[in-house]
Amino acid sequence: MALIVSQIKTSLDESKDNAIGKALSLLCVRNNEVKTAALHKCSVDARRGVCFVSSVYIELNSSELEAKLSRKHDNVRLYQREELSVNFGTEELHGDIYIAGFGPAGMFCALTLCEFGYKPVVLERGAPVERRVRDVEGYWRGGALKPSSNVQFGEGGAGTFSDGKLTTRIGDPLCARVLDRLCRFGAPEEILLKAKPHIGTDRLRGVVANLRNEVIRLGGEIRFYSPLEDIRLQNGRVLSVTVNGEELPCGALAAAIGHSAHDTFEMLLKKGITLLPKPFSVGARIEHLQEDIDRALYGKYAGHPALPPAEYQLSYHDSHNRGVYTFCMCPGGYVVASESENGTIVTNGMSRFARDGVNANSAVLVSVGPEDFGSQPLSGVEFIHRLERHAFEMTRGTGKAPASLTREFLGNGGGLSPGSVVPTYPRGVEAADLRELFPDFVTMPLAEALGYFDRRIKDFADSDSVLTAIETRSSSPVRIVRGEDGAALCAENLYPCGEGAGYAGGIMSAAVDGIKTAVKIMERFKPTISPR
């Protein structure tokens, strides 16, 4: 057992390690009573002035004293790191364990199974990350789109071309396991300390490759360019999977297919798997100069060498209670082309670990639901496709993204006169009236929210800020329904998991769901080899 002491403040000009001494002073403990003391998490607080706020991990020699101090102080809590334990099942596997998809959910599902003595086979429709990087960067430079190797599809999932954010609201103890493994495979150790950790797309690529190599070393197999084409069901069980035309016996199938696997959603639905439409969000990317965001949030402290590039998170509800929010804010980042199908436009945000780009960008998204696009299982998928094709057509099929100055959008126009913010979308942008792209139930709350955000952050909707459309892939438009045992309702050995199945919303929550799915499989089936 240990203690976490929260809300310890230090100034910009003092060492963050001073928080440890301040926490010990708060507890009034003697040196000989302390076994270990270290920083736990640290963040920037810019609400009243600017300072660092830390939490401190303290382990005492006496568990009784720890319990007493946790009761005495409001900002002190007991903490115990939980190790993953599994009660192995006894059922024999009649075929391999397949994992469809090698994004965060699939990676951590595969890694966990391998760590406990199983030998899964990963089916990844896209390329290994090294080849995928070349394909994606070639497309950004104006080359042809590779339908199986792009920002959405390939080793590492969509998160590989992002900021590599590791923030999550799920508060699950397994988050610590994910962070630990990411560091083991090359992520910077500071992700263990930051309250809002990120890896950056440049470093995340190496982490993904190292994790893949560990899965292989432990006995797992990874097949690239191997989409899940079909499944054969009998008596409520997946008997086989079809991959590149070959039918293979299946003991269990983890469907970690990602939010953009629309063709796989269709295949599963045709096979009788229960899918439901779920709410998701659509909108655009907004870009500002990073220095303007720094000044707006840090004030006179902007530019202080101890401060990271400023970031924000904003939300708004209109009079009909429709939510609008910023998502995946990338300080010092870039807006990137994220299509997975020809004849469409899709945007996303990306930044390197250093976050040293000139612009800041964030998605500004409006929540939509079945009441807007229809109640059939794939109604949301069809809605997404219509918007993405319309965005492509707005620029006459040039492949450029439709964009406008934010103030022009708010003024019912579509101008994009040169200003201080140079759009970073790599295939170029073209002036367009974004009100013609979105339906009214998106346009009106989006405009209202931008006005509200402008009051929260100075010149948010001005300062030559640019809106680039369209953002549609923030989360899955479907949920593949599963029961308490983790299995799909109509297939007892099919395990939907991660963001694509509708059970996660980001790298961390998807990774955690992948671990939990692995545990569900292990609790039912015998290990392939003796557990470690």
Side-chain angles (χ1 to χ4, degrees), residues 49 143 338 515 526:
S338 302
I515 294 172
K526 281 181 169 181

Side-chain angles (χ1 to χ4, degrees), residues 215-263:
V215 168
I216 294 171
R217 187 187 73 81
L218 293 174
E221 181 182 350
I222 302 173
R223 301 180 185 178
F224 294 107
Y225 303 109
S226 297
L228 176 66
E229 296 171 334
D230 201 0
I231 60 174
R232 183 159 67 92
L233 288 171
Q234 184 174 309
N235 298 325
R237 188 182 183 94
V238 179
L239 290 186
S240 66
V241 297
T242 300
V243 183
N244 292 329
E246 181 181 7
E247 188 173 357
L248 304 166
C250 177
L253 171 62
I257 53 180
H259 57 47
S260 294
H262 298 165
D263 55 344

Side-chain angles (χ1 to χ4, degrees), residues 315-330:
S315 62
Y316 172 79
H317 282 83
D318 71 2
S319 57
H320 301 288
N321 204 35
R322 188 183 295 273
V324 187
Y325 59 98
T326 61
F327 175 77
C328 186
M329 193 264 165
C330 297

Side-chain angles (χ1 to χ4, degrees), residues 116 168 182 194 200 203 317:
F116 282 88
T168 181
L182 291 172
K194 285 193 171 183
R203 297 202 181 186
H317 282 83

Side-chain angles (χ1 to χ4, degrees), residues 134-403:
R134 295 197 295 273
D135 291 340
V136 168
E137 292 181 349
Y139 176 63
W140 289 347
R141 290 192 297 267
L145 177 70
K146 302 288 181 68
S148 62
S149 183
N150 48 62
V151 168
Q152 306 298 341
F153 298 137
E155 184 178 28
T160 303
F161 295 91
S162 71
D163 187 62
K165 286 181 182 62
L166 304 176
T167 50
T168 181
R169 297 178 182 177
I170 61 175
D172 194 289
L174 288 174
C175 290
R177 184 181 183 90
V178 174
L179 293 174
D180 174 78
R181 296 304 188 273
L182 291 172
C183 285
R184 184 182 301 179
F185 299 127
E189 289 195 1
E190 69 175 52
I191 67 172
L192 301 175
L193 296 178
K194 285 193 171 183
K196 295 181 178 180
H198 78 286
I199 300 177
T201 187
D202 49 340
R203 297 202 181 186
L204 186 56
R205 297 165 186 177
V207 173
V208 167
N210 291 338
L211 193 154
R212 169 231 300 163
N213 291 335
E214 179 69 359
V215 168
I216 294 171
R217 187 187 73 81
L218 293 174
E221 181 182 350
I222 302 173
R223 301 180 185 178
F224 294 107
Y225 303 109
S226 297
L228 176 66
E229 296 171 334
D230 201 0
I231 60 174
R232 183 159 67 92
L233 288 171
Q234 184 174 309
N235 298 325
R237 188 182 183 94
V238 179
L239 290 186
S240 66
V241 297
T242 300
V243 183
N244 292 329
E246 181 181 7
E247 188 173 357
L248 304 166
C250 177
L253 171 62
I257 53 180
H259 57 47
S260 294
H262 298 165
D263 55 344
T264 310
F265 298 155
E266 184 176 0
M267 180 272 289
L268 292 173
L269 183 64
K270 288 179 179 178
K271 292 296 179 177
I273 304 301
T274 303
L275 277 70
L276 298 176
K278 63 175 276 294
F280 58 99
S281 302
V282 299
R285 281 268 153 186
I286 189 166
E287 285 191 273
H288 303 85
L289 290 177
Q290 181 64 51
E291 62 183 25
D292 288 345
I293 297 299
D294 290 347
R295 280 195 295 268
L297 296 181
Y298 290 153
K300 65 180 182 180
Y301 299 99
H304 193 287
L307 287 172
E311 53 187 308
Y312 56 80
Q313 185 173 351
L314 302 167
S315 62
Y316 172 79
H317 282 83
D318 71 2
S319 57
H320 301 288
N321 204 35
R322 188 183 295 273
V324 187
Y325 59 98
T326 61
F327 175 77
C328 186
M329 193 264 165
C330 297
Y334 309 86
V335 178
V336 295
S338 302
E339 298 81 27
S340 57
E341 302 169 23
N342 285 306
T344 64
I345 296 294
V346 182
T347 66
N348 196 10
M350 181 187 85
S351 58
R352 296 185 288 262
F353 175 71
R355 290 177 164 175
D356 55 0
V358 173
N359 289 358
N361 76 78
S362 175
V364 184
L365 300 177
V366 179
S367 298
V368 296
E371 65 277 10
D372 301 308
F373 50 71
S375 58
Q376 296 303 306
L378 299 183
S379 294
V381 173
E382 294 162 2
F383 177 67
I384 286 172
H385 286 173
R386 287 196 299 272
L387 289 175
E388 292 174 356
R389 287 194 296 266
H390 191 185
F392 181 80
E393 293 161 359
M394 286 185 78
T395 58
R396 304 175 313 285
T398 61
K400 295 181 178 181

